[in-house]
Amino acid sequence: MTVTEQLASLETSPEWEDIEFPPGDLESQELPLESYLHLQQILLLIKCLDWLWRDRNDYFDAGNLTIYYSPHQKKSSDFRGPDFFVVLDTERRSRKSWVVWEEGGKYPHIIVELLSSSTAKTDRTEKKKIYQDIFRTPEYFWFDPESLEFQGFALIQGTYQPITPNDMGHLWSEQLQLFLGIENRQLRFFSPDGVLVPTPEESATEAQKQLEFERQQKDKLAAKLRELGIDPEQL
């Protein structure tokens, strides 16, 4: 029996309430990431979404974290946790892993896998089928930090259908109400209006630029007033 068949057989297993569950505080068991690019990409996605949603407490996002979804079998030996995923309508708090039976049966609403030479085939086939048939994750994206291959799928009537890119090559996420697209060879989030979702550092830089612009405008106005014989300090 293949891994996929084993996973599918869980659909006909007894109800979870009749099963003796393993402990809920299971440690993540993910392997080291493929490269520095993969690590930076995961951190970037988490950082940007957390900054954008800094006032929200109704979601959980993580990277390279194990998802335990079967009380019969903690995890298939052929299946690892997603590189990046988001669960909506849940509590925003630290977790060692995502244990489905401890989270009200919730699975990720969106998953992003980062392709590499060793994982691309599995990401495009077996994992895609698991996310479609077992997780029923509404949206699945993959991105290759090296080649910049980028594709997304939405679950429509139980089957993943390709998401059509807009004129900028961005793919819409109905779940996040954001676009995903490539900017400077990295996968980034964009607002519905197409504005890049910044990191905290980028936001601070933009704020500083705005303050500097306002200072320059104020100085120009003061200089103009002096040319007209008006002391700006007396205004």
Side-chain angles (χ1 to χ4, degrees):
M1 182 181 290
T2 67
V3 173
T4 300
E5 289 171 339
Q6 291 173 358
L7 293 171
S9 70
L10 295 177
E11 296 298 315
T12 58
S13 65
E15 294 297 323
W16 281 2
E17 55 264 28
D18 298 328
I19 299 169
E20 183 178 349
F21 289 87
D25 59 341
L26 300 172
E27 298 280 354
S28 183
Q29 299 182 30
E30 299 316 302
L31 296 174
L33 295 170
E34 291 291 327
S35 71
Y36 178 76
L37 282 178
H38 287 73
L39 172 61
Q40 291 301 305
Q41 179 61 76
I42 291 173
L43 293 176
L44 180 62
L45 290 173
I46 294 173
K47 180 188 295 187
C48 289
L49 192 63
D50 285 349
W51 177 245
L52 179 67
W53 287 358
R54 55 191 178 278
D55 296 325
R56 292 178 55 170
N57 293 298
D58 61 348
Y59 76 98
F60 175 74
D61 61 347
N64 200 41
L65 194 75
T66 300
I67 296 176
Y68 294 102
Y69 55 91
S70 169
H72 294 289
Q73 181 181 13
K74 290 182 180 178
K75 182 177 65 174
S76 166
S77 59
D78 295 327
F79 176 60
R80 297 288 175 179
D83 288 321
F84 173 78
F85 68 91
V86 181
V87 183
L88 303 174
D89 301 319
T90 189
E91 183 183 0
R92 185 179 179 183
R93 59 178 173 82
S94 177
R95 292 170 171 86
K96 296 179 182 179
S97 60
W98 184 266
V99 184
V100 170
W101 60 87
E102 293 288 335
E103 303 286 354
K106 282 184 175 291
Y107 286 87
H109 289 78
I110 174 176
I111 288 175
V112 177
E113 290 287 5
L114 303 179
L115 305 183
S116 69
S117 57
S118 63
T119 67
K121 182 178 179 180
T122 300
D123 291 335
R124 295 189 187 105
T125 57
E126 189 162 359
K127 280 193 177 183
K128 182 183 177 186
K129 187 168 181 61
I130 290 170
Y131 299 152
Q132 172 185 275
D133 298 341
I134 306 301
F135 284 25
R136 295 188 176 89
T137 293
E139 294 171 350
Y140 175 43
F141 299 84
W142 66 56
F143 173 66
D144 189 327
E146 295 284 354
S147 70
L148 305 186
E149 177 184 341
F150 176 46
Q151 196 163 356
F153 303 87
L155 195 64
I156 300 175
Q157 296 183 343
T159 303
Y160 276 141
Q161 300 295 333
I163 298 173
T164 302
N166 66 8
D167 294 341
M168 300 292 293
H170 299 166
L171 304 182
W172 176 247
S173 168
E174 187 67 26
Q175 298 299 308
L176 301 182
Q177 290 294 294
L178 295 170
F179 282 104
L180 284 82
I182 300 172
E183 177 81 7
N184 292 329
R185 300 186 63 85
Q186 293 178 310
L187 187 62
R188 300 290 299 265
F189 296 116
F190 296 82
S191 74
D193 295 330
V195 178
L196 180 70
V197 173
T199 64
E201 295 81 4
E202 289 169 342
S203 289
T205 299
E206 286 302 313
Q208 186 62 40
K209 287 181 180 178
Q210 181 62 30
L211 287 174
E212 177 61 22
F213 173 78
E214 292 174 358
R215 185 192 64 78
Q216 291 177 359
Q217 292 299 105
K218 184 177 179 180
D219 289 347
K220 288 180 180 179
L221 177 59
K224 186 65 175 178
L225 289 172
R226 290 190 184 96
E227 289 178 4
L228 298 173
I230 301 171
D231 184 356
E233 299 297 331
Q234 299 300 316
L235 297 179

